[in-house]
């Protein structure tokens, strides 16, 4: 059995800061990235926690990502802002744009942000939840290198293209969902291939376009979107909104310019923020939404999105998290200078 170790959340923060700074990030950039990974570990979203740290470090060490990025905000219209990510990781750009985006939404009712020239390794909910905590509805999407076939097609064209939505609540954590538009996470297919077990039908196709449950065949062929054609169309929307709409490369173009160090390629993230009070004409849409949530929760077996994360937070804060010892060893090596 693989050995596992317990780490406090302070240890998670410390390991991440030391590894990123030894790999070439300055303190400001390391803090921004660490906050995203730390938040994922705190909420038991391990796929976007320390598991990602070696990838972040590899992209710093290969010289692909600017670990000293200073993202720049620019104004293009009353309700449209752009943040040039300065070739850095997405979190520092998101932090730069967050409050200007929220303020714009409050002034105009709705505002959009283009985060450009950044590398996106993270879960999107960390950002949409942070925006919703200011009482503003948030939507975010980003694309990645091609892995998913379009509806009816057989070759990878779209990234796993996640989409996140956060709804603010009075005196409570926001309701937040964050989901890839691929039927299955790339990482899970890779793990299945490594461990030699099959994956559910619908996860992907082989290189000849035949349905398969063999993960290695899918990695050579293409993943599929969730929900057939409808999921593939959502993925197309994400591809357009996070790419051409922002003046950024779409998935296939991202692959063409990437240095293949294993991390994501350069690209953009699209965000929308909506002030619910302005749009509803002055009522209390958040109180109204609570009636819907109550009706949903009255049905047995339901929960709000985000509730799983909130339910594990206190325990993880008190007792820490458990991760493979081998991952800690790998990270410890990365804390030595490049
Ligand atoms: P999951 O399938 O694990 O979860 C999708 C969403 O469904 C979550 O918000 C989850 O909420 C919600 N949910 C699950 N079950 C229920 C339920 N019974 N009732 C209500 N809500 C429910 O996510 P994915 O595997 O699709 O994506 C994982 C992460 O990967 C995301 O954070 C995404 O941003 C990230 N990602 C990032 C990419 C990038 O390029 N940066 C690329 C692709 C993915 P809860 O959290 O409460 O369980």
């Amino acid at each position: 059995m693989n050995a596992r170790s317990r780490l406090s959340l302070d240890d998670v923060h410390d390991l991440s800061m030391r590894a990123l700074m030894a790999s070439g990030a300055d303190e400001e950039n390391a803090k921004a990235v660490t906050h995203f990974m730390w938040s994922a570990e705190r909420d038991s979203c391990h796929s976007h926690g320390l598991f990602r740290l070696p990838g972040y470090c590899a992209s710093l060490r290969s010289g692909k990502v600017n670990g000293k990025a200073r993202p720049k905000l620019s104004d293009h219209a009353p309700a449209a802002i752009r943040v040039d990510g300065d070739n850095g990781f997405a979190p520092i750009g998101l932090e730069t744009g967050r409050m200007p985006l929220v303020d714009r939404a409050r002034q105009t009712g709705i505002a959009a942000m283009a985060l450009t020239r950044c590398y996106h390794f993270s879960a999107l909910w960390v950002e949409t939840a942070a925006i919703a905590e200011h009482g503003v509805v948030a939507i975010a999407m980003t694309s990645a290198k091609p892995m998913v076939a379009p509806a009816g097609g057989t070759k990878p064209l779209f990234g796993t293209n996640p989409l996140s939505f956060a709804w603010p609540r009075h005196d409570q954590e926001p309701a937040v969902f964050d989901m890839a538009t691929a039927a299955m996470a790339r990482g899970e297919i890779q793990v299945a291939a490594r461990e030699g077990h099959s994956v559910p039908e619908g996860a992907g196709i082989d290189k000849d376009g035949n349905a398969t449950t063999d993960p290695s065949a899918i990695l050579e062929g293409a993943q599929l979107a969730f929900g057939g054609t409808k999921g593939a169309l959502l993925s197309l929307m994400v591809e357009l909104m996070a790419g051409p709409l922002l003046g950024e490369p779409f998935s296939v173009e991202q692959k063409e310019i990437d240095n293949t160090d294993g991390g994501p390629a350069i690209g953009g993230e699209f965000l929308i923020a909506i002030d619910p009070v302005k749009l509803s004409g002055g009522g209390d849409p958040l109180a109204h939404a609570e009636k819907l949530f109550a009706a949903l929760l009255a049905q047995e077996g339901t929960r709000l999105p985000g509730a799983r994360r909130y339910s594990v937070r206190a325990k993880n804060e008190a007792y820490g998290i458990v991760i493979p010892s081998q991952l800690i060893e790998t990270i410890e090596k990365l804390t030595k200078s490049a």
Side-chain angles (χ1 to χ4, degrees):
M1 209 173 91
N2 292 333
R4 300 178 77 74
S5 307
R6 186 170 290 277
L7 288 182
S8 72
L9 291 178
D10 284 348
D11 295 335
V12 169
H13 197 277
D14 176 61
L15 264 183
S16 170
M17 287 298 290
R18 286 194 292 127
L20 290 166
M21 290 179 74
S23 301
D26 65 13
E27 192 174 351
E28 208 169 316
N29 281 262
K31 264 191 188 156
V33 170
T34 293
H35 176 70
F36 273 66
M37 264 184 295
W38 178 91
S39 302
E41 292 294 1
R42 178 201 57 191
D43 287 4
S44 291
C45 295
H46 302 300
S47 63
H48 286 79
L50 289 179
F51 170 71
R52 298 274 153 169
L53 187 50
Y56 279 106
C57 293
S59 290
L60 288 166
R61 287 170 190 240
S62 76
K64 181 166 86 175
V65 175
N66 178 9
K68 299 177 172 56
R70 290 291 176 271
K72 258 203 214 78
L73 186 86
S74 57
D75 250 321
H76 288 263
I81 58 173
R82 280 174 71 84
V83 175
D84 176 343
D86 194 21
N87 222 40
F89 291 120
I92 191 159
L94 291 167
E95 286 182 0
T96 304
R98 184 180 308 142
M99 287 320 295
L101 177 67
V102 167
D103 290 343
R104 270 334 145 79
R106 286 186 180 137
Q107 286 159 22
T108 60
I110 181 165
M113 172 173 142
L115 173 60
T116 64
R117 291 208 310 135
C118 70
Y119 294 83
H120 211 302
F121 262 99
S122 321
L124 299 183
W125 62 261
V126 182
E127 186 57 24
T128 52
I131 294 171
E133 273 157 21
H134 295 282
V136 169
V137 177
I139 299 173
M141 51 196 95
T142 190
S143 62
K145 280 186 278 189
M147 290 170 255
V148 175
T154 57
K155 304 276 175 269
L157 183 74
F158 305 139
T160 46
N161 293 5
L163 169 67
S164 179
F165 169 81
W167 179 270
R169 303 179 71 192
H170 291 308
D171 308 318
Q172 289 192 68
E173 299 288 356
V176 185
F177 73 72
D178 181 10
M179 52 181 218
T181 48
M184 206 171 164
R186 184 74 167 183
E188 282 177 39
I189 296 178
Q190 287 164 332
V191 169
R194 210 162 48 231
E195 294 178 353
H197 58 78
S198 59
V199 296
E201 276 176 29
I205 50 181
D206 66 19
K207 61 180 176 10
D208 301 315
N210 302 311
T212 179
T213 57
D214 174 354
S216 302
I218 293 173
L219 293 173
E220 279 175 29
Q223 288 182 240
L224 291 176
F226 77 88
T229 302
K230 295 178 189 181
L233 294 177
L234 273 182
S235 194
L236 172 65
M237 177 191 78
V238 173
E239 197 73 38
L240 291 167
M241 303 289 260
L245 184 73
L246 315 181
E248 287 296 290
F250 51 83
S251 295
V252 171
E253 292 174 328
Q254 291 177 27
K255 186 180 177 193
E256 283 164 5
I257 53 178
D258 193 48
N259 75 354
T260 67
D261 64 2
I266 198 160
E269 179 173 353
F270 175 63
L271 296 105
I272 305 174
I274 306 168
D275 179 339
V277 176
K278 279 231 161 48
L279 215 60
S280 69
D284 188 345
L286 303 193
H288 188 185
E290 290 304 318
K291 283 168 85 176
L292 173 65
F293 293 154
L296 184 154
L297 293 170
Q299 294 193 25
E300 203 177 328
T302 63
R303 66 172 175 85
L304 292 183
R308 178 196 59 79
R309 292 189 294 100
Y310 304 141
S311 71
V312 295
R313 249 179 215 183
K315 181 171 83 52
N316 290 345
E317 278 165 354
Y319 302 109
I321 52 134
V322 174
I323 64 168
S325 308
Q326 201 180 2
L327 178 58
I328 300 178
E329 278 166 35
T330 304
I331 295 171
E332 282 291 358
K333 285 188 194 137
L334 292 168
T335 62
K336 316 287 178 257
S337 287

